[in-house]
Amino acid sequence: DVKVTQSSRYLVKRTGEKVFLECVQDMDHENMFWYRQDPGLGLRLIYFSYDVKMKEKGDIPEGYSVSREKKERFSLILESASTNQTSMYLCASSLDRGSEKLFFGSGTQLSVL
Amino acid sequence: DAKTTQPNSMESNEEEPVHLPCNHSTISGTDYIHWYRQLPSQGPEYVIHGLTSNVNNRMASLAIAEDRKSSTLILHRATLRDAAVYYCILFDGNKLVFGAGTILRVKS
């Protein structure tokens, strides 16, 4: 089975801190995605990547950046965390471009105080 | 992105079939219809997808209207473990855009 692993289940940070959320997949998938999930708003796409060193903006990229130096790892970076970035962050991967099946991690609940 | 419309919530009895509807009147000819579900405290998981024909797999069936403007996810015998949020999504080959989904409650 495909495994998508997010480094932390819960994370508490302070306003202004730089935050790294890490995601690793073990099935050599080309595509990786970062979503955030908030009550009443569903899942919203932040950034995605179709290949190493490539990234594309999703629907809500403001305040975030990403890094994909290796195929299996996709990092989400909050340069200066703010309270409105308190959310559940979900990482996902899929085999290749056009592949319909996403595999999700269990999520990281980030609280910014 | 093409939109989907789902009921906010539905309730079912255990062991009975469940039909979860989805409207997607602005679907384009190349959009696939996808369903995912999210169990409590977990990330979403893939359920099924289709383009024009009805589809079956071990988890569920997908019935697609002839004009493709609506579809129905069918759980043949609901169990308590099927209680989740079910998302109907149109996939254009680039990215999945999730809506609010339907909260399915299963009563024993």
Side-chain angles (χ1 to χ4, degrees), chain A residues 97-111:
Chain A
R97 193 159 189 164
S99 176
E100 308 90 356
K101 196 170 177 180
L102 262 63
F103 294 85
F104 280 84
S106 297
T108 296
Q109 178 62 53
L110 173 67
S111 297

Side-chain angles (χ1 to χ4, degrees), chain A residues 19-74:
Chain A
V19 181
F20 292 87
L21 301 182
E22 305 288 345
C23 176
V24 177
Q25 49 92 5
D26 66 358
M27 283 300 290
D28 204 34
H29 282 181
E30 290 187 7
N31 305 337
M32 296 189 76
F33 306 80
W34 275 106
Y35 289 84
R36 65 177 281 179
Q37 184 170 28
D38 301 287
L41 297 175
L43 280 84
R44 293 179 291 167
L45 183 62
I46 305 171
Y47 266 98
F48 56 108
S49 168
Y50 288 134
D51 201 351
V52 175
K53 297 192 186 294
M54 292 184 69
K55 61 183 179 184
E56 295 197 37
K57 293 180 180 179
D59 300 315
I60 51 162
E62 296 77 19
Y64 303 95
S65 62
V66 290
S67 172
R68 192 152 181 218
E69 296 295 319
K70 293 185 178 182
K71 192 174 185 179
E72 67 270 18
R73 188 179 297 269
F74 193 35

